[in-house]
Amino acid sequence: MKITFFSSQPYDRSFFEKFNDSTGFELHFLDVALNEHTAVMAKNAIAVCVFVNDQITTAVIQQLAELGVKVIALRCAGFNNVDLVSARENGIRVCRVPAYSPEAVAEHAVAMILTLNRKTHKAYNRVREQNFSLNGLLGFNLHGKTIGVVGTGNIGQAFCMIMLGFGCRVKAFDLIANKEMESLGVTYHPLMEVLNSDIISLHCPLNEQTRHLIQDDTLTYVKPGAMLINTGRGGLIDTKSVIRALKKGQIGALGIDVYEQEEKLFFRDLSANIIQDDDIQRLMSFPNVLITAHQAFFTDEALSQIAITTLNNVLQLVKNSNLKDQAALLA
């Protein structure tokens, strides 16, 4: 049985081949994204394996169904890029990896906070040039600061735990308060109150309700000079609004590991290209902005769990058995 991988990277091949012995699939890796033009490349595959920037629209799903594809396996937690209704209508099962080392993403968010605050990236470059001055590197203590957390799923919970360990006050917003988090000292508040924090970190899914959660209107509730971190989904932030807020000083620092137009940029080497995206170019020009290219998930533990879970999900679905983890089944 063949699985065709789209948007694959060398590390995908390494980890999936490493853990394929127990499932015995034929693995076919493609570096192109899945779309209406490339769907035909899934011919003879029982399943396709896709990532965050593949666009699985109705047209793509219809092509996959005609080719005999039975499973769409997302090697990620988010699924906003899949038309689930169309998948059901065309008899294609959809599964994901709902929880893979949430600490990986949470720890990356903290790394971005520490880097922006203590300016270690700038200090590193200075010392490399034999400049040992401390001017311009002033930071602040995290201890005692208020951290606003939007979304307390697995990753949000891991992030809260770390920030509590720093001695921070943690305020959270979610549709349902997590009792365990509350017992540890996390307090739940309306979104607008959570946005009025020293540091805001986004950990919610992307859907119709959360798209452009951070935009001109909600930015008016943000504490002037606050730090904003997004390791969730790029579409949670309206980029043009955030650029305006950075120019006015409403946002004091921005760290993003995701970007709403990232499918045109991330996971590829564009060092010899002229980037046409004016928004990301503008963001990169700010001295108080840190951008990483969807790197937060990129740990050995997370990639191992993604590979193991994805292969087992596909195996169970093609055998017409029920998934052991029902949270992994989307359609």
Side-chain angles (χ1 to χ4, degrees):
M1 294 183 289
K2 177 180 172 183
I3 303 176
T4 298
F5 290 74
F6 288 87
S7 299
S8 68
Q9 299 290 334
Y11 48 80
D12 291 314
R13 176 186 292 269
S14 175
F15 278 87
F16 275 91
E17 288 182 343
K18 177 181 178 180
F19 294 105
N20 188 42
D21 288 344
S22 60
T23 50
F25 287 110
E26 176 189 349
L27 308 182
H28 183 214
F29 296 92
L30 303 170
D31 59 3
V32 298
L34 176 58
N35 54 45
E36 293 180 41
H37 305 292
T38 60
V40 67
M41 301 175 79
K43 184 178 181 180
N44 298 325
I46 192 71
V48 295
C49 186
V50 299
F51 199 47
V52 293
N53 293 324
D54 293 299
Q55 296 303 312
I56 303 93
T57 62
T58 296
V60 170
I61 289 171
Q62 289 173 346
Q63 289 186 64
L64 294 177
E66 291 173 2
L67 292 170
V69 172
K70 301 300 182 184
V71 177
I72 297 171
L74 294 107
R75 54 184 186 273
C76 53
F79 52 90
N80 54 283
N81 54 330
V82 183
D83 187 333
L84 297 177
V85 173
S86 180
R88 292 189 188 97
E89 291 174 348
N90 285 274
I92 296 180
R93 311 304 300 275
V94 182
C95 58
R96 61 172 178 147
V97 186
Y100 55 89
S101 185
E103 293 78 15
V105 181
E107 289 170 9
H108 190 81
V110 176
M112 299 191 87
I113 291 171
L114 292 171
T115 301
L116 283 165
N117 176 26
R118 303 306 296 268
K119 303 171 181 64
T120 49
H121 56 316
K122 296 181 180 181
Y124 172 81
N125 288 328
R126 281 192 189 185
V127 172
R128 295 277 292 181
E129 297 174 356
Q130 302 180 52
N131 177 357
F132 301 98
S133 168
L134 297 183
N135 292 326
L137 300 181
L138 186 66
F140 55 83
N141 286 4
L142 283 178
H143 183 88
K145 295 297 185 293
T146 299
I147 312 298
V149 183
V150 181
T152 53
N154 292 322
I155 296 171
Q157 290 175 47
F159 178 79
C160 288
M161 294 286 290
I162 297 171
M163 300 318 295
L164 288 170
F166 273 97
C168 298
R169 295 187 295 269
V170 180
K171 300 193 301 186
F173 169 78
D174 209 324
L175 296 178
I176 301 175
N178 185 292
K179 298 300 182 183
E180 182 180 356
M181 289 292 100
E182 287 183 318
S183 70
L184 295 173
V186 175
T187 57
Y188 281 80
H189 305 269
L191 175 63
M192 303 318 171
E193 186 175 340
V194 170
L195 293 179
N196 186 28
S197 301
D198 298 304
I199 299 170
I200 304 158
S201 192
L202 306 180
H203 298 286
C204 54
L206 178 62
N207 52 44
E208 292 182 4
Q209 288 71 43
T210 61
R211 182 173 296 279
H212 287 180
L213 181 74
I214 303 298
Q215 38 84 8
D216 288 329
D217 291 339
T218 54
L219 281 166
T220 62
Y221 295 93
V222 171
K223 184 176 182 179
M227 181 186 296
L228 175 63
I229 304 293
N230 186 14
T231 54
R233 284 289 181 265
L236 297 175
I237 287 178
D238 178 11
T239 305
K240 294 185 185 301
S241 294
V242 166
I243 289 173
R244 288 191 289 269
L246 283 164
K247 290 171 68 175
K248 293 187 298 184
Q250 181 69 24
I251 293 179
L254 173 70
I256 57 172
D257 184 58
V258 288
Y259 173 60
E260 59 181 332
Q261 302 297 331
E262 69 176 62
E263 68 274 6
K264 302 175 183 177
L265 302 170
F266 288 4
F267 305 111
R268 64 190 75 181
D269 181 359
L270 301 177
S271 57
N273 297 62
I274 304 280
I275 293 178
Q276 301 297 320
D277 188 325
D278 292 339
D279 287 340
I280 194 111
Q281 293 282 38
R282 185 70 179 97
L283 284 175
M284 290 190 293
S285 73
F286 287 101
N288 55 344
V289 171
L290 178 64
I291 301 173
T292 54
H294 212 125
Q295 181 187 342
F297 78 102
F298 200 58
T299 68
D300 183 274
E301 292 84 354
L303 287 172
S304 295
Q305 192 59 50
I306 287 170
I308 292 169
T309 302
T310 301
L311 290 169
N312 286 334
N313 285 348
V314 175
L315 184 63
Q316 290 179 55
L317 289 177
V318 298
K319 286 185 174 181
N320 295 317
S321 60
N322 292 323
L323 276 179
K324 295 177 181 178
D325 183 0
Q326 287 301 307
L329 185 61
L330 298 171

